[in-house]
Amino acid sequence: MAIRQSVGQGLSSEECTTTLSIKRVPLKAAILLLIFAFGSFTVSGSVLPFTISEARKTTGTFLLTTSPSGVTLPQGANATSTVSIISIQGYSGTVSLATQFNAGNMSVSFNPTGISVQAGGTATSAMTVVAARNASIGTYSIIVTGTSAVGRRVVSSSALFTVTVNPLADFGLYAYPYSINVVAGMTNSTSIILDSKNGFAGSVTLSATIPFGFLGVMGGQNPLSVNAVASTYTSLQVSATGSTLLGRYNITITGASGTVSHSCILTVKVVDPVPESLTLTGSALLSPTGMTLSLRNDGNTPITLESYTVTDVSGDQWILANWTGPTMLPGTTTAAVIFIGTSCETCTYSGVFGLFQQFVPGHIYTITVTTKLHNQFTFTVTV
């Protein structure tokens, strides 16, 4: 566009021409330029309206955090952490979650993967970390990142998450004692012990494989609940009938939890019963009418006492025929308490009336105990 203007007095009569090139210049910018050059600009008809509008800009960002910021787990296990997205400066929108890590045989997932956040608010997602059974032992770093489109920008926030992988959670299985004797026609027992290894916690089901030979097995609680801080025990009873062949047997005890299982061997020796054998190892006076006997079972079968007699040097005698005496296991020493006189209401007395009413220090007494199998054992005791 060319604007022509006549030159006034003092100049030549030639025309001075000023050319303003506004090629590819926006209309409003051209108008501003003209107004600046000439002070005013008039358009025929009406004044051109002058308004500049700006697009509303989206602002704000967010912060990503994890709680906890790290976990420790054994091979084959999983753990969770909470990923929080916190709105900053009025941010609102959807944040997509992703991870970056270099760890063998581990996986990470989110629920949900996309988090919708309101302005000024906080939203969360559950992050689950899974270590495979063959995951490498060690500590690994995982970068957790959230990204979101904010207007024409892409904003993001990241947090470092650590994972420590320990050896596979497992358990140990033992029998204690691992070898027992069972008298034909009798029962003996052992303890089955379960120990947690590498943080194992869960239910273990026990089973027994019994060889032919008329052996019987009865266990306690099954399955057993094993925790990571203490050993778990249960009892296993093994019985043999009178017709069980004498000899040595192996019983296999197996514990299983999911795909993890372990076994141990319990050795059982079935033996012939031998005659009951009882030894007095000591005595003590409890009162003028009470005495304690220390008795040792030297046989291979339990002994139960059912009656006793106490006789002084004159032949005076106290008898308790229906005594509920102790049961003594093979190889153990047990205290047996006997009473006479006024301390034994169900006892019977024979001899000189009133002569033998209590134990006298320094005197000698003969004590006979009778077992459930009607075997008698006689001991001489000096009070």
Side-chain angles (χ1 to χ4, degrees):
M1 176 178 65
I3 302 176
R4 297 179 183 275
Q5 184 178 12
S6 298
V7 179
Q9 188 177 4
L11 297 175
S12 66
S13 61
E14 294 179 356
E15 294 181 333
C16 178
T17 302
T18 301
T19 302
L20 298 177
S21 176
I22 58 174
K23 183 178 180 182
R24 301 180 69 179
V25 176
L27 177 61
K28 291 182 181 180
I31 293 174
L32 288 173
L33 181 62
L34 292 174
I35 292 175
F36 176 80
F38 299 104
S40 64
F41 192 82
T42 303
V43 180
S44 175
S46 62
V47 178
L48 181 68
F50 179 62
T51 303
I52 298 178
S53 63
E54 294 185 358
R56 183 178 180 181
K57 295 182 179 180
T58 303
T59 61
T61 184
F62 59 85
L63 175 66
L64 183 149
T65 65
T66 61
S67 180
S69 59
V71 293
T72 299
L73 70 164
Q75 294 170 308
N78 62 75
T80 60
S81 178
T82 299
V83 179
S84 298
I85 302 297
I86 305 169
S87 170
I88 299 176
Q89 299 174 347
Y91 167 84
S92 64
T94 300
V95 177
S96 297
L97 300 177
T99 58
Q100 180 181 357
F101 61 94
N102 183 19
N105 295 314
M106 283 206 312
S107 63
V108 181
S109 61
F110 299 97
N111 184 23
T113 302
I115 307 177
S116 180
V117 186
Q118 300 297 321
T122 300
T124 62
S125 175
M127 179 177 68
T128 301
V129 181
V130 180
R133 287 176 58 87
N134 60 343
S136 301
I137 307 300
T139 299
Y140 303 92
S141 296
I142 297 177
I143 300 175
V144 184
T145 302
T147 58
S148 177
V150 179
R152 296 182 179 180
R153 303 182 296 138
V154 175
V155 296
S156 66
S157 179
S158 299
L160 184 64
F161 187 82
T162 59
V163 178
T164 300
V165 180
N166 287 332
L168 176 68
D170 204 348
F171 64 88
L173 175 67
Y174 316 95
Y176 184 82
Y178 59 86
S179 179
I180 60 174
N181 290 340
V182 179
V183 177
M186 298 288 185
T187 298
N188 201 356
S189 64
T190 188
S191 294
I192 304 301
I193 305 171
L194 293 170
D195 284 332
S196 172
K197 295 182 178 180
N198 305 322
F200 175 88
S203 179
V204 178
T205 300
L206 299 176
S207 61
T209 303
I210 309 168
F212 177 77
F214 303 101
L215 285 177
V217 172
M218 180 177 294
Q221 181 182 355
N222 191 27
L224 290 176
S225 179
V226 180
N227 60 60
V229 296
S231 298
T232 303
Y233 300 82
T234 189
S235 176
L236 183 70
Q237 294 182 332
V238 181
S239 60
T241 68
S243 58
T244 301
L245 298 176
L246 303 182
R248 188 180 300 273
Y249 300 87
N250 287 334
I251 297 178
T252 302
I253 310 299
T254 302
S257 178
T259 58
V260 180
S261 67
H262 294 285
S263 298
C264 67
I265 301 297
L266 171 65
T267 301
V268 177
K269 185 178 180 182
V270 179
V271 297
D272 251 337
V274 298
E276 293 178 324
S277 177
L278 203 58
T279 303
L280 177 67
T281 61
S283 64
L285 196 63
L286 293 177
S287 68
T289 55
M291 180 184 297
T292 299
L293 305 178
S294 295
L295 301 174
R296 177 177 176 80
N297 182 353
D298 295 319
N300 66 356
T301 60
I303 296 176
T304 301
L305 302 181
E306 288 194 333
S307 66
Y308 66 78
T309 63
V310 183
T311 308
D312 65 6
V313 292
S314 301
D316 304 303
Q317 190 176 76
W318 288 96
I319 301 173
L320 180 60
N322 57 345
W323 183 30
T324 305
T327 296
M328 294 167 286
L329 298 177
T332 63
T333 299
T334 306
V337 179
I338 61 174
F339 294 101
I340 63 171
T342 57
S343 296
C344 185
E345 296 181 354
T346 56
C347 286
T348 58
Y349 177 73
S350 64
V352 179
F353 179 77
L355 183 62
F356 179 25
Q357 296 300 312
Q358 61 184 24
F359 294 110
V360 178
H363 284 206
I364 298 175
Y365 300 92
T366 301
I367 301 174
T368 300
V369 296
T370 303
T371 70
K372 187 177 180 179
L373 298 180
H374 307 296
N375 293 314
Q376 291 186 336
F377 297 89
T378 300
F379 311 106
T380 299
V381 178
T382 301
V383 176

